[in-house]
């Protein structure tokens, strides 16, 4: 079975918890991504920041993105997947937590990101449908 390490996008960059949401938005634009892991000063993963978080929780709330720290938007414990976990485990984790992207951890190190599309390519068609259905409903 295919592992996270085989299907992930490596070289994932973090946004520091103390960096502004404006800096995060610029980094997303420069990297062409819609989400960034939030890393603390201890280099540990604190959560994920999405472009939707920026729009809804910052801009929609009338806050200045230059004044809001990325770490303020980290909610609860970050949902991750191990680098050697297989595609079925990734599927289960995405469905259980209703997330479309998972940071990939090897030991304590962030080594990449697995997106819904990566998993869809690695799974047989019926399971892809299950994933899409689970993540498309509230």
């Amino acid at each position: 079975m295919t592992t996270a390490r085989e299907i992930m996008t490596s070289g994932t960059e973090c946004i520091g918890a103390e960096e502004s949401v404006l800096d995060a938005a610029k980094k997303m634009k420069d990297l062409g991504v819609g989400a960034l892991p939030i890393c603390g000063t201890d280099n540990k993963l604190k959560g994920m920041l999405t472009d939707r978080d920026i729009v809804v929780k910052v801009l929609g709330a009338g806050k200045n993105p230059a004044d809001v720290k990325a770490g303020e938007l980290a909610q609860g414990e970050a949902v991750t997947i191990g680098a050697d976990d297989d595609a079925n485990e990734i599927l289960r984790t995405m469905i259980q937590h209703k997330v479309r992207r998972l940071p990939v951890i090897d030991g304590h190190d962030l080594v990449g990101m697995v997106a819904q599309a990566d998993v869809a390519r690695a799974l047989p068609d019926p399971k892809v449908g299950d994933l899409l259905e689970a993540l498309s409903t509230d």
Side-chain angles (χ1 to χ4, degrees):
M1 179 56 86
T2 306
T3 66
R5 188 183 310 277
E6 295 169 311
I7 63 172
M8 72 182 189
T9 300
S10 58
T12 301
E13 292 190 32
C14 284
I15 189 71
E18 296 302 314
E19 291 183 72
S20 75
V21 170
L22 180 60
D23 290 335
K26 289 177 181 177
K27 191 173 224 179
M28 285 180 190
K29 179 191 146 301
D30 292 345
L31 296 172
V33 298
L36 289 170
I38 302 169
C39 294
T41 53
D42 58 1
N43 257 354
K44 291 197 173 159
L45 191 62
K46 302 298 182 191
M48 289 289 293
L49 177 65
T50 67
D51 47 10
R52 186 174 193 284
D53 291 333
I54 294 170
V55 170
V56 173
K57 297 174 182 174
V58 179
L59 300 177
K63 297 176 182 176
N64 181 344
D67 295 335
V68 177
K69 304 287 185 219
E72 293 175 39
L73 300 181
Q75 296 177 343
E77 191 171 324
V79 178
T80 63
I81 197 76
D84 296 318
D85 289 343
D86 67 33
N88 284 320
E89 180 62 24
I90 299 167
L91 172 70
R92 279 191 295 277
T93 303
M94 285 182 160
I95 291 172
Q96 178 184 354
H97 296 280
K98 292 209 175 262
V99 294
R100 290 179 163 83
R101 300 170 191 93
L102 284 172
V104 180
I105 304 296
D106 188 1
H108 294 289
D109 298 325
L110 176 68
V111 294
M113 186 77 66
V114 173
Q116 175 181 335
D118 300 323
V119 179
R121 284 190 291 271
L123 291 170
D125 288 344
K127 289 193 177 193
V128 171
D130 294 343
L131 174 63
L132 295 176
E133 181 180 349
L135 295 181
S136 297
T137 58
D138 290 327

